[in-house]
Amino acid sequence: MADLAIVNCAQVVTLSGPARARTGAEMRELGIVRNGALLVRDGRIAKVGTRAEIERAASTDTEMVDAGGRIVLPGFVDAHTHPVFAGNRADEFDQRAEGATYAEIAARGGGIRSTVRQTRAASEADLLAAARRYRAWFLRGGTTTIEAKSGYGLTLDDELKILRAIRSLGAEGGLRVSPTFLGAHEVPDEYRGRRADYVRLVIDEMLPAVWREGLAESCDVFCEPSVFPVAQSREILEAACALGFRLRLHADQFSADEGSLLAAELGADTADHLEATTQCGWTALARAGVQPVLLPASAYCLGSGRYPAARQMIERGLAVTLATDFNPGSSPTASMPLVLSLAVTQMKMTCAEAITAATINGAYSLRRGNSVGSLDAGKLADFAIHDFADYRELAYFFGRETAWAVYIGGVRQTW
Ligand code: NIG
Ligand code: FE
């Protein structure tokens, strides 16, 4: 593969810095090289510098790409998505407009259980075909790595089917994928009133099978009093941890602090959502070094008006991360640029903090900080050229996808 040089970039936003997730004032340091350029060799970043430096380092057969005065950023690392499901829930979206709440719709058999019914009826090939379509949406927004959860099967075979579709999506190479098992996403119809039996199925059959096949790196639970209360969430996560899974949790989406306290107690990699978390929860997360993954697009789409307290979390020294939560119910968007806009307007993060949260902090939350999330020599050449001249415009001009070109491992992606 010939070397590749990207030249004539108004800003190369490197995110260079300490080799760990960024906290506090570090979240405002983007390591910008103005009028910069980038050299890629063997799928990795070889050098970032001025145009003159990169042209000197290039050889006669280096492929030169003129970025036309645009900006270059590391690909977004979307650390929380549910991209494999059948059908969608536009009907519930309309019902919410007429006053029904997410919880009411779930209680009458809609919500996650409605997507479960559709997903069970779909084949692995159907699910993969749908996920390929969503992959194009992620790429268009400048995302190059996603975390991808199962959780719409809720039988052993259907969870394995989803995780195999996730594995195929990653193996095809158009997007890097970090798989998470979320068998405890909801209690399925056939276990209504028998939640403890379903927890046994997750622990005794699903977790060992998923681990044996190497189909997931992490285990997640929807920890919520009305879904999986804290005692059962703990039981599942401890069993997962004993097998070797890393832990992530849906925590405090609707009720305060139990989920974040459990994430801290178990030393999870992340606690995600946190719309209802109070000082008690974010203090515990800070002490335990758990990364918050904030999902403002789901608060937006549910119309709750309740966004997580990002400012207080940053002030406490938490390595805040942003993700889409892409799913057919609470957050049908794959757009990290939209998430940046919501982070700035609704959670009062600065543009620089939001970009840090969407790149390097996402990478560290998935234990991939040494290979992606910043443009440092030696890292994988996963980056996007956006059609702007200043990084703040990514959050400021909202409502359009702006990636002009996206590269993964130095290969230009098409969609
Ligand atoms: O992260 N809260 C639980 N899971 C998803 C929603 C899934 C769905 O509604 O289908 C979330 O918001
Ligand atoms: Fe989620």
Side-chain angles (χ1 to χ4, degrees):
M1 192 158 102
D3 290 359
L4 167 72
I6 312 288
V7 298
N8 192 18
C9 312
Q11 301 178 333
V12 180
V13 182
T14 66
L15 279 296
S16 275
R20 53 170 171 71
R22 312 293 158 73
T23 59
E26 292 169 355
M27 291 187 70
R28 296 177 185 233
E29 304 295 333
L30 296 183
I32 295 173
V33 180
R34 281 171 219 289
N35 303 315
L38 193 72
L39 184 68
V40 174
R41 181 166 294 148
D42 298 329
R44 292 184 179 264
I45 312 278
K47 191 176 172 62
V48 178
T50 62
R51 180 176 190 157
E53 283 167 344
I54 296 305
E55 281 176 347
R56 264 199 308 279
S59 63
T60 44
D61 56 2
T62 300
E63 183 195 346
M64 304 295 282
V65 172
D66 187 327
R70 297 181 176 84
I71 57 173
V72 180
L73 275 90
F76 294 123
V77 178
D78 188 344
H80 181 135
T81 84
H82 308 247
V84 175
F85 55 86
N88 72 44
R89 309 221 295 274
D91 52 345
E92 294 179 4
F93 180 66
D94 233 2
Q95 289 162 20
R96 289 204 303 275
E98 300 206 83
T101 67
Y102 185 74
E104 284 162 8
I105 292 169
R108 58 177 186 245
I112 294 170
R113 286 186 286 149
S114 137
T115 299
V116 167
R117 288 188 285 272
Q118 297 178 74
T119 304
R120 285 178 176 178
S123 69
E124 188 182 320
D126 294 339
L127 294 174
L128 181 58
R132 285 195 187 111
R133 177 160 172 257
Y134 306 135
R135 170 173 60 203
W137 300 359
F138 285 107
L139 288 171
R140 221 174 259 163
T143 296
T144 52
T145 297
I146 62 168
E147 181 261 14
K149 301 174 196 296
S150 67
Y152 291 114
L154 312 188
T155 65
L156 174 61
D157 287 348
D158 290 302
E159 285 296 303
L160 292 176
K161 172 178 79 180
I162 293 168
L163 287 166
R164 288 181 189 128
I166 290 173
R167 178 171 62 190
S168 299
L169 190 70
E172 289 178 352
L175 199 60
R176 297 188 201 275
V177 179
S178 169
T180 296
F181 169 63
L182 177 56
H185 194 195
E186 176 57 291
V187 178
D189 292 337
E190 66 279 13
Y191 280 89
R192 286 325 261 182
R194 295 192 298 128
R195 183 165 53 204
D197 293 341
Y198 184 66
V199 169
R200 292 281 18 121
L201 177 70
V202 170
I203 293 176
D204 296 339
E205 292 181 36
M206 294 189 190
L207 278 171
V210 171
W211 186 254
R212 228 179 4 255
E213 275 203 50
L215 283 167
E217 293 169 13
S218 302
C219 176
D220 189 346
V221 170
F222 186 7
C223 179
E224 188 66 40
S226 60
V227 189
F228 292 96
V230 71
Q232 286 170 325
S233 299
R234 182 189 288 110
E235 227 185 308
I236 294 166
L237 292 165
E238 281 178 343
C241 186
L243 285 166
F245 286 94
R246 309 290 311 175
L247 306 182
R248 313 175 81 80
L249 268 83
H250 280 70
D252 306 346
Q253 184 178 7
F254 301 109
S255 45
D257 293 340
E258 283 187 353
S260 47
L261 292 175
L262 180 63
E265 173 194 324
L266 298 176
D269 289 330
T270 66
D272 305 38
H273 274 287
L274 308 182
E275 287 90 331
T277 308
T278 71
Q279 187 168 341
C280 164
W282 64 68
T283 305
L285 294 177
R287 224 174 265 139
V290 178
Q291 274 186 255
V293 179
L294 308 184
L295 311 166
S298 73
Y300 165 76
C301 187
L302 294 180
S304 69
R306 183 148 84 160
Y307 289 85
R311 281 258 59 84
Q312 284 93 325
M313 294 183 202
I314 291 172
E315 274 149 32
R316 282 285 143 140
L318 283 157
V320 168
T321 301
L322 287 168
T324 59
D325 194 16
F326 176 65
N327 75 70
S330 65
S331 191
T333 182
S335 170
M336 286 299 275
L338 175 66
V339 168
L340 296 178
S341 167
L342 292 169
V344 176
T345 59
Q346 308 303 306
M347 305 199 295
K348 306 300 175 199
M349 293 172 72
T350 66
C351 296
E353 287 170 339
I355 285 173
T356 299
T359 54
I360 191 72
N361 281 6
Y364 276 105
S365 86
L366 295 171
R367 302 170 73 76
R368 281 166 165 69
N370 56 359
S371 58
V372 298
S374 69
L375 301 178
D376 285 306
K379 283 199 176 180
L380 295 166
D382 292 5
F383 58 90
I385 304 175
H386 289 273
D387 192 16
F388 294 123
D390 181 297
Y391 73 88
R392 287 171 295 204
E393 295 170 16
L394 263 169
Y396 165 77
F397 285 115
F398 72 98
R400 56 178 288 245
E401 301 301 36
T402 56
W404 179 78
V406 176
Y407 290 78
I408 297 183
V411 177
R412 187 164 179 165
Q413 302 296 304
T414 49
W415 54 76

